[in-house]
Amino acid sequence: MAKEILLEIKNLVTEFYGEDETVKAVNNISFTLSHGETVGIVGESGSGKSVTALSIMQLIPNPPGRITGGEIIFHSKKHGPIDIVKLSEKEMRALRGNDIAMIFQEPMTSLNPVFTCGDQVMEAILLHQKCSKKEAKEKTVSLFKEVQLPRPEIIFDSYPHQISGGQKQRVMIAMAMSCKPNILIADEPTTALDVTVQATILDLMFKLQREHEMGILFITHDLGVIAELADKVVVMYKGKIVEQGSVLEIFSNPQHPYTKGLLACRPPLNKRLTWLPTVADFMKTTDTGEMIESKQTVSEVTDKLVVTNEKRFEEHKKLYAKEPILQIKNLKTYFPINKGIFGKATDFVKAVDDVSFDVYPGETLGLVGESGCGKTTLGRTLLRLIEPTAGEIFFEGKNITKISTKEMRKLRKDIQIIFQDPYSSLNPRITIGQAIMEPMQVHGVFANDKERKERVIELLHRVNMNESHFYRYPHEFSGGQRQRICIARALALKPKFIICDESVSALDVSVQAQVLNLLNELKREFNFTYIFISHDLSVVKFMSDRMIVMNNGKIEEMGDADAIYNDPQSEYTQRLIGAIPKGQLEDIKASIEKKKQLLN
């Protein structure tokens, strides 16, 4: 039996006005959402997914944007069909948060840092429900229990900065659920979360959906997540819907080349590829705007790229016959948390706890684990950006824990780092040309700025950017372009060793595939050695020769990346691998069957 329709989007157009041009961010789209249904909206940054959600919530900033066409019909139980576009701000405020709620992409910027988590959820309850402050507090604590927050009474009195990313996201879900909405819009709610936390959040959303018969609009660029959660998929590209259908139809027989590209560019877990396909392998746009479509299927493209076990064995034989470039012996990095009456530390956070391993020239060593496992601290300790508490680090046979700060500064020419957030690691006041040139000036590379500029332009071309970009500022680029700029800056000093710290975690899967391919290409060209840090096990498996799994500052498991994935020894690694959304057809069928059983 067909479910009752809850929300109808009919020919929606949302435009943004600039000085020179008008951009149709959402261009004549139509789809429906029913009671108890999850519709997944997928596409890259700029495809119009978030603008669609903000249009439904009537949160488009005006100016520069406004809805110029179409209808958004909400089928209210109390008032019947309502066209949201025609509502006044006062009428919309009664609906927003009460009947239609939204979980925003970045919980840290969505929560007010000067109010406690409990106060912020209570505010939503007091605004929409007739109850006393005492009742609102009881409801908030009950909601915190429902979203499985540990120690709900303590989190009620905690400020956003005092809790983890996963916990902040649960507070946002509690706030969104506080008035038992009919529609929940989740805009990239799990993008920056660990796979285990992500799996818990997705389970939680499905549980709440069943209990409250909600319709969920789930926005993401990750088709693996959509596969496990959605009933229906809407694929958006440049403001338009290019394909929509049931989750099984889209995954088993994608029709549009853009959908095929999105499905292909996620690193596969069941095979190893030489490089990742991108959207460009399935469709290209000419200068006149005409689309040239490839007729190849996803499997036809990926099957040509598979690396055999024999080839990999031969490569590793040569790789591990060399002397290590980096040797870590009993490394410890502790942070004091409690001090006695004389100021001496009495308790520590053991971020890195007695870790030992070697890295070989030309190797990519993957470092994986959940947030707080110590992987970023380990990466920064290797560069002595954080001083180690104990242990030794040998780089090319030299103990770098014993050298002076001045000597270490010289050595940093050979060891570079690409940080997680390219925006915060670039100075907004200087052009990207100056940003890439600066390390060369510090280390006296080349005789003058004219030669350095030539080198910067050469590097920009190498990371698929133009000479004209030299004079632009960081805010003028997309996330993927900023990450390329950071890669060019790391290459400026011709390093031997690069630490990539979550360098692709915030990127769209298609942009992520391009950056990962670029890193591998550069490694072959310049013979780098990488330590690749990420919480995404599928990305680490694609990039790495060997893998280290970290948990609570210790090494849980270490060995060949494929061997660890195919036969994990520790319970912790098994749990990490089990939580990865795989997006395979058998998983989708199992998920559909599970939903049917739970709903019957």
Side-chain angles (χ1 to χ4, degrees):
M1 195 177 79
K3 289 183 177 177
E4 237 179 287
I5 289 177
L6 194 53
L7 186 74
E8 279 180 281
I9 311 292
K10 295 180 181 177
N11 311 109
L12 180 68
V13 180
T14 304
E15 298 181 333
F16 286 86
Y17 300 93
E19 284 178 22
D20 307 318
E21 62 174 338
T22 298
V23 176
K24 285 190 177 181
V26 171
N27 189 0
N28 197 25
I29 68 163
S30 301
F31 66 91
T32 61
L33 172 72
S34 299
H35 280 277
E37 183 181 47
T38 302
V39 173
I41 303 183
V42 289
E44 298 167 287
S45 294
S47 63
K49 326 183 284 293
S50 292
V51 176
T52 301
L54 294 172
S55 301
I56 294 165
M57 294 294 286
Q58 295 293 290
L59 290 173
I60 298 290
N62 185 5
R66 64 192 175 101
I67 295 169
T68 57
E71 300 170 300
I72 302 168
I73 310 293
F74 168 57
H75 292 267
S76 165
K77 283 181 181 175
K78 291 179 194 169
H79 311 291
I82 301 167
D83 187 354
I84 286 173
V85 177
K86 292 177 179 168
L87 296 182
S88 67
E89 179 52 34
K90 189 182 176 185
E91 289 169 321
M92 192 61 216
R93 210 176 292 135
L95 204 67
R96 198 188 292 134
N98 193 15
D99 293 296
I100 307 173
M102 185 163 174
I103 305 164
F104 293 93
Q105 184 167 355
E106 180 42 72
M108 191 64 211
T109 53
S110 312
L111 291 168
N112 192 326
V114 299
F115 292 104
T116 66
C117 296
D119 280 342
Q120 294 185 61
V121 178
M122 266 178 68
E123 184 185 21
I125 293 168
L126 291 167
L127 185 68
H128 291 290
Q129 297 177 34
K130 289 176 183 176
C131 63
S132 65
K133 278 192 172 182
K134 189 186 174 193
E135 286 171 322
K137 182 175 179 176
E138 283 168 8
K139 281 184 181 183
T140 302
V141 172
S142 169
L143 278 164
F144 283 178
K145 284 176 185 167
E146 198 177 348
V147 297
Q148 294 157 26
L149 274 165
R151 308 178 309 282
E153 286 82 5
I154 292 170
I155 285 179
F156 183 93
D157 293 318
S158 300
Y159 289 89
H161 72 273
Q162 294 175 307
I163 60 176
S164 73
Q167 288 172 338
K168 281 195 275 278
Q169 200 57 285
R170 285 166 202 238
V171 170
M172 288 297 296
I173 291 172
M175 194 187 294
M177 295 302 302
S178 61
C179 297
K180 297 190 172 110
N182 294 308
I183 299 168
L184 178 66
I185 302 171
D187 186 7
E188 301 268 14
T190 60
T191 299
L193 302 179
D194 297 326
V195 281
T196 46
V197 179
Q198 175 178 276
T200 314
I201 296 283
L202 296 179
D203 283 347
L204 171 67
M205 286 176 73
F206 184 54
K207 174 179 168 283
L208 295 172
Q209 181 184 37
R210 283 198 324 273
E211 286 169 8
H212 303 290
E213 259 288 285
M214 271 189 317
I216 296 179
L217 210 55
F218 195 96
I219 296 166
T220 183
H221 62 254
D222 189 344
L223 275 155
V225 170
I226 283 292
E228 304 213 347
L229 189 79
D231 301 299
K232 197 163 76 183
V233 181
V234 171
V235 183
M236 288 190 74
Y237 176 64
K238 291 187 175 176
K240 292 187 174 181
I241 292 174
V242 293
E243 190 167 357
Q244 61 177 305
S246 77
V247 69
L248 202 55
E249 284 167 0
I250 298 289
F251 275 79
S252 60
N253 189 22
Q255 297 301 305
H256 197 276
Y258 182 68
T259 314
K260 292 176 189 176
L262 285 183
L263 284 167
C265 59
R266 182 103 177 107
L269 289 158
N270 55 349
K271 51 191 168 188
R272 180 172 281 273
L273 306 182
T274 48
W275 56 275
L276 290 171
T278 62
V279 172
D281 290 304
F282 296 90
M283 59 183 273
K284 287 182 174 69
T285 310
T286 62
D287 296 335
T288 57
E290 187 192 349
M291 189 182 77
I292 300 166
E293 184 181 330
S294 162
K295 297 295 179 190
Q296 295 182 99
T297 64
V298 173
S299 55
E300 280 170 352
V301 171
T302 55
D303 286 349
K304 295 173 194 170
L305 305 170
V306 175
V307 181
T308 62
N309 289 337
E310 293 74 26
K311 190 185 174 190
R312 204 155 171 268
F313 178 75
E314 286 305 314
E315 284 173 0
H316 283 186
K317 210 170 155 182
K318 291 175 198 166
L319 186 67
Y320 299 119
K322 302 170 190 171
E323 283 295 307
I325 188 172
L326 188 76
Q327 293 172 289
I328 317 297
K329 295 182 178 178
N330 308 108
L331 191 67
K332 296 178 183 178
T333 307
Y334 293 175
F335 298 111
I337 45 172
N338 286 324
K339 292 184 178 179
I341 49 171
F342 299 109
K344 192 178 176 183
T346 57
D347 199 5
F348 298 89
V349 168
K350 296 179 179 181
V352 177
D353 193 9
D354 199 16
V355 163
S356 301
F357 60 91
D358 295 339
V359 188
Y360 293 83
E363 176 182 32
T364 300
L365 180 73
L367 206 54
V368 72
E370 296 171 290
S371 297
C373 71
K375 52 188 193 298
T376 293
T377 303
L378 174 57
R380 293 184 182 204
T381 305
L382 298 181
L383 280 164
R384 278 187 58 195
L385 295 173
I386 297 171
E387 289 297 331
T389 307
E392 296 171 310
I393 305 163
F394 292 89
F395 180 71
E396 293 188 320
K398 188 176 188 176
N399 188 347
I400 64 172
T401 53
K402 302 280 190 235
I403 63 177
S404 66
T405 311
K406 192 179 177 183
E407 283 178 288
M408 191 64 213
R409 200 174 295 130
K410 282 181 192 169
L411 192 70
R412 289 216 175 99
K413 185 170 171 280
D414 291 328
I415 312 175
Q416 287 289 303
I417 186 166
I418 302 166
F419 292 101
Q420 180 169 359
D421 181 2
Y423 196 68
S424 60
S425 58
L426 289 167
N427 187 333
R429 294 181 179 185
I430 65 172
T431 65
I432 63 129
Q434 289 171 290
I436 298 168
M437 210 193 292
E438 193 177 40
M440 295 193 241
Q441 291 167 333
V442 169
H443 288 278
V445 176
F446 298 110
N448 54 51
D449 278 354
K450 185 174 179 285
E451 287 180 23
R452 289 181 192 120
K453 185 182 175 182
E454 284 170 12
R455 171 69 177 152
V456 173
I457 289 165
E458 196 184 302
L459 286 168
L460 285 172
H461 285 306
R462 191 62 209 80
V463 298
N464 305 328
M465 295 188 75
N466 307 327
E467 191 176 327
S468 62
H469 293 146
F470 184 96
Y471 302 101
R472 295 192 192 170
Y473 289 86
H475 73 272
E476 297 179 76
F477 296 95
S478 70
Q481 287 174 317
R482 282 198 286 265
Q483 200 56 282
R484 287 167 192 270
I485 292 160
C486 289
I487 291 168
R489 185 176 60 180
L491 299 179
L493 300 171
K494 295 185 179 172
K496 296 173 184 174
F497 190 90
I498 298 178
I499 295 171
C500 303
D501 183 12
E502 297 273 15
S503 50
V504 294
S505 62
L507 303 178
D508 288 331
V509 279
S510 53
V511 178
Q512 177 180 280
Q514 291 165 21
V515 172
L516 294 176
N517 288 339
L518 174 65
L519 288 169
N520 276 337
E521 223 176 276
L522 294 168
K523 178 186 158 180
R524 284 191 288 271
E525 193 177 318
F526 298 104
N527 199 29
F528 295 137
T529 305
Y530 287 134
I531 284 185
F532 194 90
I533 300 169
S534 179
H535 64 257
D536 188 335
L537 215 137
S538 58
V539 168
V540 170
K541 180 184 173 289
F542 167 71
M543 288 296 288
S544 308
D545 297 294
R546 284 184 307 144
M547 192 196 294
I548 290 175
V549 182
M550 282 190 77
N551 183 22
N552 292 330
K554 291 183 182 291
I555 291 176
E556 190 80 30
E557 204 163 333
M558 176 165 54
D560 179 83
D562 286 10
I564 285 181
Y565 176 75
N566 293 325
D567 186 23
Q569 298 303 301
S570 85
E571 200 179 304
Y572 176 75
T573 314
Q574 288 165 8
R575 192 160 56 83
L576 266 188
I577 291 166
I580 303 169
K582 296 170 183 67
Q584 304 293 331
L585 284 179
E586 54 270 27
D587 296 317
I588 296 167
K589 286 171 184 170
S591 179
I592 292 167
E593 202 49 49
K594 183 185 167 188
K595 281 182 187 176
K596 278 181 187 170
Q597 288 169 1
L598 287 166
L599 292 169
N600 287 339

